[in-house]
Amino acid sequence: MGKSSLNNSVAKQMAGRAAANLIENGMIVGLGTGSTANYFIDSLILRCKEGLKIKAIATSKQSYIRAQNGGIPLIDINDISILDVTVDGADQIDSQKQMIKGAGGALLCEKIIASSSREMIVVIDESKLVKTLGNQLLPVEIVTFGFKATMRKLELLGLSGILRMSDSSTPFTTDMGNFIVDIQLPTPIRDLEVLNQQILAIPGVIETGFFFNIAGRVIIGKNDGSYQLF
Ligand code: 5RP
């Protein structure tokens, strides 16, 4: 492992641990997906072993298995009406806390769970902070039926996308059995909320990786082992 990725993992670990320390007895907690969320889950496992009593709902099979292996009690989202908090990572976040998520392919369940939570705490390292949202790829989840037709309609909006692949011949499928198209947004960046609505209006599009007006506290892990809250 190179020095920078080692430092990055220290930053992610700091953010994950700080978020786990905010969890209180009796809470229903959403477990995000990705490497930073994994550090949160690992710290939460330790806290549960020390006596913390919570129930959790996972945003992906991967997070479910990690939490289950660590002994975190897991419940079904359909058995509750609201979660106290969800802790999840982000791919990009701007100064207004608007985000793009979905590099890990779990954006649909992540959005359902975050939007069903009193607060979404976002855990990131500094590399996720951006001045302008949308300079990197936007993941869009689409149904497999007619996916080429859906991609053509995205192109008509000026959004060229690449079907995410698991390997050279197999498209990546989400936990929900859908495909992901990674879209390069046109520059200059247009009004993203309008663009989001245009994308969502295409038949076959299920959800986008835009997470607007949903982030609560943001914990930024630092390479020096500290963290900052914003
Ligand atoms: C998964 C996500 C992740 O939260 C996002 O990709 C950040 O991941 P990481 O913490 O590994 O950088 O949205 O769908």
Side-chain angles (χ1 to χ4, degrees), residues 19-33:
N21 285 335
L22 297 175
I23 305 303
E24 295 169 15
N25 268 325
M27 281 185 165
I28 299 177
V29 182
L31 309 175
T33 296

Side-chain angles (χ1 to χ4, degrees), residues 50-173:
E50 288 161 6
L52 180 73
K53 298 272 180 259
I54 56 154
K55 288 178 181 152
I57 298 172
T59 55
S60 62
K61 287 180 186 160
Q62 175 195 318
S63 296
Y64 186 98
I65 290 165
R66 195 176 194 94
Q68 190 180 44
N69 288 343
I72 296 179
L74 288 150
I75 56 170
D76 191 296
I77 187 169
N78 294 312
D79 292 338
I80 53 110
S81 53
I82 192 166
L83 291 85
D84 293 289
V85 65
T86 285
V87 177
D88 203 351
D91 298 312
Q92 300 175 49
I93 181 164
D94 69 12
S95 57
Q96 302 304 307
K97 300 187 180 178
Q98 309 294 53
M99 299 184 283
I100 288 181
K101 288 180 50 54
L107 63 102
L108 177 59
C109 297
E110 288 173 340
K111 199 177 279 189
I112 292 170
I113 290 176
S115 65
S116 305
S117 303
R118 289 195 175 91
E119 183 184 12
M120 176 186 191
I121 297 178
V122 180
V123 282
I124 53 166
D125 63 89
E126 287 177 289
S127 71
K128 307 298 180 62
L129 297 166
V130 295
K131 275 209 180 91
T132 311
L133 211 60
N135 285 327
Q136 295 158 37
L137 296 175
L138 171 73
V140 175
E141 186 153 348
I142 64 172
V143 293
T144 58
F145 179 83
F147 72 92
K148 288 189 180 171
T150 305
M151 288 177 74
R152 274 194 292 274
K153 291 189 180 94
L154 285 165
E155 273 162 27
L156 289 175
L157 283 179
L159 305 169
S160 61
I162 296 170
L163 189 66
R164 194 180 293 184
M165 304 296 285
S166 285
D167 58 46
S168 58
S169 57
T170 321
F172 170 85
T173 48

Side-chain angles (χ1 to χ4, degrees), residues 4-45:
S4 62
S5 60
L6 186 67
N7 283 343
N8 223 24
S9 49
V10 168
K12 290 180 177 198
Q13 193 171 4
M14 289 307 113
R17 189 185 298 166
N21 285 335
L22 297 175
I23 305 303
E24 295 169 15
N25 268 325
M27 281 185 165
I28 299 177
V29 182
L31 309 175
T33 296
S35 55
T36 322
N38 280 346
Y39 284 118
F40 165 69
I41 295 169
D42 291 347
S43 294
L44 201 57
I45 289 168

